[in-house]
Each structure stands twice: as structure tokens, then as C-alpha cells.
């Protein structure tokens, strides 16, 4: 795993000469899903980010739910049930967040691999096997995992959901 970060060219050269190996994409994907889920749970348990998420819900989401009740498109019971899915700290929020991470990460992996595979076949006129492209894209998820850890650490350190490892980190004011 360290090779992809320190010597990515060498790793990809070695991949080219070996048969497809499922753990090369599956392990980084699982690692990303587990770490992303853990980081999100840690972030929503912190006072600053939790208050910010609550403010977003009260300002944007809850008024929409009330509007749906007035319009008759949802009942009060339905909106209360839905509120559990958008409130950090509830079991429903956790399940929704886990499922969202699972599906978006897996979908991103498969779609990026498919896009690059098609690009290689059509534009570059190369006979590349989809499983090899999936393997290469999967290995890059290690970098995404590290980015998720760094980003979460910055959010925890600053207490701001807008903290990123970039120029935005030095900005004092948060967007409304």
C-alpha cells in the first residue's frame, strides 16, 4: 500500500505485467468505506460540526418538511420518520450514511474504471482489460482514504465543516 504513495509509477508498471488480482481494488475500497464512515461519525459527534449540521437542518430541511405537510404531500408521521434520517446521532442517520458511503464509493470505483477502460479502448486504441483498469483505479482509493483522514483531522481541529487541506484553511469566515 505504501508503494502507491511513494512510487506510483513502479506500482503501475508491476500491475501491467501481472494478472488481475481482486484484493488490489477490493481492499482499498473496503478500507475507504470503513474509514470514511468512521470519520463521518467522529465529525458529527463533535460540538462545532454537529451544531452546524443542526443549523443547516433547521434552516433548510425542516421548513421543507413543514411545507410538505401543509401541501398534503406528507403526513406529520412521515416527516417525523424522515427527520430521523437527517438528524446526526440517530441510528437511521448512521445507516443512511453507511449506505451512502458504500454505494457512492463503489459506484465511483466502477464508473471511473469503466470510463477509463472505454477511453483506453476508443481514444488510445489499446486492448486493456476492464479488470486491470478496475485494479488501478481501486489502488488510487488509498490516496482518497488518506485525504479523508487528513480532511477529517482538520475539521476536528478547527471545528469547521469547511476546513480543507488547501488555501481555504486560512480563511477565517465560514460561508452562510
Amino acid at each position: 500500500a505504501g508503494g502507491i504513495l511513494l512510487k506510483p509509477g513502479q506500482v503501475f508498471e508491476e500491475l501491467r505485467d501481472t494478472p488481475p488480482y481482486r484484493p488490489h481494488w477490493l481492499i482499498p475500497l473496503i478500507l475507504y468505506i470503513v474509514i470514511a464512515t468512521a470519520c463521518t461519525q467522529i465529525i458529527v459527534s463533535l460540538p462545532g460540526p454537529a451544531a452546524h449540521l443542526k443549523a443547516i437542518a433547521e434552516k433548510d430541511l425542516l421548513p421543507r418538511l413543514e411545507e410538505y405537510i401543509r401541501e398534503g404531500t406528507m403526513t406529520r408521521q412521515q416527516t417525523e420518520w424522515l427527520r430521523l434520517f437527517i438528524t446526526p446521532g440517530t441510528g437511521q442517520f448512521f445507516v443512511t450514511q453507511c449506505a451512502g458511503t458504500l454505494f457512492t464509493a463503489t459506484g465511483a470505483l466502477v464508473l471511473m474504471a469503466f470510463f477509463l477502460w472505454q477511453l483506453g479502448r476508443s481514444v488510445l486504441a489499446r486492448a486493456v482489460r476492464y479488470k486491470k483498469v478496475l485494479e488501478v483505479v481501486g489502488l488510487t482509493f488509498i490516496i482518497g482514504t488518506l485525504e479523508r483522514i487528513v480532511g477529517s483531522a482538520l475539521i476536528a481541529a478547527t471545528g469547521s465543516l469547511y476546513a480543507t487541506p488547501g488555501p481555504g484553511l486560512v480563511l477565517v469566515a465560514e460561508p452562510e
Side-chain angles (χ1 to χ4, degrees):
I4 191 76
L5 298 172
L6 302 174
K7 300 177 184 176
Q10 181 181 348
V11 170
F12 292 126
E13 288 291 324
E14 291 173 8
L15 278 178
R16 185 182 63 190
D17 300 330
T18 60
Y21 186 58
R22 182 174 294 142
H24 281 164
W25 64 266
L26 189 58
I27 291 172
L29 176 64
I30 291 169
L31 186 65
Y32 177 81
I33 291 168
V34 169
I35 289 183
T37 301
C39 287
T40 300
Q41 291 307 307
I42 290 168
I43 289 168
V44 300
S45 70
L46 298 172
H52 188 83
L53 289 171
K54 184 178 179 183
I56 290 171
E58 289 173 355
K59 180 181 174 193
D60 297 328
L61 302 174
L62 298 180
R64 284 191 205 154
L65 293 179
E66 292 300 323
E67 186 178 316
Y68 293 149
I69 292 171
R70 282 193 305 277
E71 292 172 353
T73 55
M74 293 181 85
T75 65
R76 172 81 51 200
Q77 183 181 9
Q78 289 171 324
T79 59
E80 290 302 321
W81 181 78
L82 187 57
R83 194 179 308 229
L84 293 173
F85 287 89
I86 60 174
T87 304
T90 64
Q92 291 87 339
F93 179 83
F94 176 73
V95 169
T96 302
Q97 188 267 321
C98 289
T101 302
L102 172 70
F103 291 120
T104 56
T106 305
L109 172 68
V110 171
L111 290 175
M112 282 190 289
F114 181 76
F115 173 75
L116 291 173
W117 176 64
Q118 286 294 345
L119 187 69
R121 288 181 52 196
S122 59
V123 176
L124 302 176
R126 296 279 184 171
V128 180
R129 293 175 49 191
Y130 178 75
K131 288 181 180 181
K132 289 306 284 184
V133 176
L134 186 66
E135 191 174 2
V136 169
V137 173
L139 281 172
T140 65
F141 269 55
I142 293 171
I143 297 166
T145 301
L146 291 175
E147 186 277 329
R148 184 67 183 223
I149 292 168
V150 170
S152 297
L154 287 172
I155 290 170
T158 62
S160 170
L161 289 174
Y162 299 104
T164 60
L169 186 60
V170 297
L171 296 176
V172 176
E174 289 189 3
E176 288 295 319

